Amino acid sequence: MCPLWPVHYLLMYFLLLGPLWFLSFQVFGAAAEATSKWNVTFTPASISKLLIGDVVEVEVKFNYTELIEDADEGHVLLEYLIDDDDIAEIKPLRVNFTVAELEEMEKLNRFPTFNVTGSFLGRTHLNVQRTNMKTQKTTLSDNFNIAVLRIKGVLDLAFTYSVAGLVAIIYINMGAALNTRIVKETLKRPIGPAIGFFCQFVIMPVIVVSGLLLPWLGYFLGGGTAWLLRQSWRDIIAIGIETGVQNTGLAILALKFLPEPESDLTTVLPVAVAIMTPVVPLAMLLIQKLPGCGVKESKRDLFVAIPGSNNVSLTNESQN
């Protein structure tokens, strides 16, 4: 055994990673030296509700003395760097000042401005950069935050209220159609609900990253799990549908309470899932209607609710 055990593991660790640490510190130090912060204030301080297509003028205030010191051959370059130019458009992107112009602006207490035009829904930020042309040292300002919102109209309100109304109607109908006798009988042998619970709360969270494929994978994984556990065809369909169909209406309604533009951005996924949800059931229904493509129910006891009565009869297809 090594006489330094177990200290030799630490020694090997430092010998291997020590040079990497040293190089990383050198790189970060050089980057910090090349790029430093510049004390700049914006008026307004940020843009939080810029509608798509609207234009806002922003004033940039700074210390003229610092800017003039960076002049090279009597010129100073300012650049407006935006993180995502698809969300907002900046004009102008760069401005070249002479020292004489800066001195005149300082006397008049005037500062340069730029225009921000909303282009697309989302958030981004902007920095003002000045470059010392002699040393090539760049200096950045703090972030100027920009939030672009979507223009809302009557259709948005109609959509929100219709979703809220449909969600309420669905839950009321589910409660009205509930047969307590069937619930009691199912609880005596809750194999189907147990499979559905496992698929909904174990399998579905794993595949939630699939986005648009979420309902489709839910159908096949839920129904496939029920088939592997030798459930009846009706139970396979029920478990598959219960696993694949998500309550997108409730999700859309809840996301409306988020601040903008996050409320609109996050609504995209549940809306996309809602669009993809009926595709598989509709395809299965069409296949069922084709001659010779129907699936026969297995010979097992089925719970059948008698219309107009609270009684439930147990039937077996083998008796038919």
Side-chain angles (χ1 to χ4, degrees):
M1 180 181 292
C2 178
L4 296 178
W5 188 91
V7 182
H8 71 289
Y9 288 113
L10 297 176
L11 293 176
M12 293 173 61
Y13 178 79
F14 285 113
L15 287 175
L16 289 174
L17 297 184
L20 295 178
W21 286 351
F22 178 78
L23 291 175
S24 63
F25 291 147
Q26 294 294 322
V27 171
F28 290 139
E33 183 178 355
T35 303
S36 58
K37 287 295 182 182
W38 180 24
N39 187 19
V40 173
T41 58
F42 299 94
T43 305
S46 64
I47 301 177
S48 58
K49 294 182 179 181
L50 178 63
L51 297 179
I52 295 176
D54 285 358
V55 181
V56 174
E57 185 180 60
V58 181
E59 186 179 48
V60 184
K61 294 183 179 181
F62 46 78
N63 189 321
Y64 274 103
T65 303
E66 294 180 2
L67 199 61
I68 293 174
E69 289 176 353
D70 281 346
D72 180 40
E73 297 181 356
H75 291 272
V76 175
L77 178 64
L78 290 184
E79 296 179 276
Y80 302 110
L81 309 177
I82 188 166
D83 183 62
D84 191 342
D85 55 5
D86 290 331
I87 294 177
E89 181 183 3
I90 307 299
K91 288 185 179 181
L93 287 174
R94 59 182 60 190
V95 183
N96 194 352
F97 292 104
T98 63
V99 173
E101 289 174 338
L102 292 175
E103 291 175 345
E104 182 66 21
M105 292 172 65
E106 184 178 17
K107 292 179 181 179
L108 299 175
N109 196 26
R110 291 173 49 197
F111 294 92
T113 61
F114 62 89
N115 292 331
V116 182
T117 304
S119 302
F120 195 76
L121 184 72
R123 290 184 182 272
T124 185
H125 65 267
L126 172 143
N127 302 96
V128 183
Q129 175 180 279
R130 80 173 195 262
T131 304
N132 188 318
M133 305 307 294
K134 299 176 183 178
T135 62
Q136 296 300 312
K137 179 181 177 181
T138 60
T139 309
L140 281 176
S141 68
D142 291 329
N143 290 342
F144 176 75
N145 297 318
I146 303 170
V148 181
L149 310 182
R150 183 173 56 88
I151 301 174
K152 294 189 175 181
V154 179
L155 290 178
D156 294 275
L157 294 176
F159 176 76
T160 302
Y161 291 139
S162 62
V163 169
L166 288 174
V167 169
I169 293 172
I170 289 172
Y171 278 110
I172 292 173
N173 287 342
M174 289 176 62
L178 186 65
N179 192 311
T180 56
R181 184 69 61 85
I182 295 180
V183 173
K184 293 178 181 178
E185 295 294 339
T186 303
L187 291 177
K188 294 179 180 179
R189 195 169 177 266
I191 298 177
I195 298 172
F197 184 88
F198 173 80
C199 295
Q200 185 66 253
F201 296 101
V202 178
I203 296 179
M204 293 302 289
V206 176
I207 64 172
V208 71
V209 294
S210 303
L212 297 179
L213 296 178
L214 181 63
W216 292 15
L217 292 176
Y219 293 138
F220 295 119
L221 292 177
T225 303
W227 178 78
L228 290 174
L229 295 176
R230 302 179 62 82
Q231 297 301 294
S232 67
W233 176 243
R234 293 187 180 184
D235 288 345
I236 292 173
I237 295 176
I239 294 171
I241 291 176
E242 288 294 333
T243 305
V245 175
Q246 307 301 308
N247 196 339
T248 54
L250 186 59
I252 293 171
L253 189 61
L255 292 174
K256 290 298 181 182
F257 292 95
L258 292 177
E260 296 185 51
E262 284 77 12
S263 60
D264 286 333
L265 292 172
T266 53
T267 304
V268 173
L269 183 58
V271 170
V273 170
I275 294 173
M276 302 299 290
T277 295
V279 176
V280 172
L282 181 60
M284 295 294 293
L285 178 62
L286 294 176
I287 293 174
Q288 285 285 312
K289 297 298 182 181
L290 295 177
C293 293
V295 179
K296 294 183 179 180
E297 175 61 58
S298 60
K299 296 181 179 180
R300 62 176 62 241
D301 290 339
L302 302 173
F303 294 112
V304 180
I306 301 176
S309 173
N310 291 328
N311 296 327
V312 177
S313 64
L314 298 178
T315 62
N316 191 295
E317 289 196 353
S318 63
Q319 300 174 356
N320 296 337

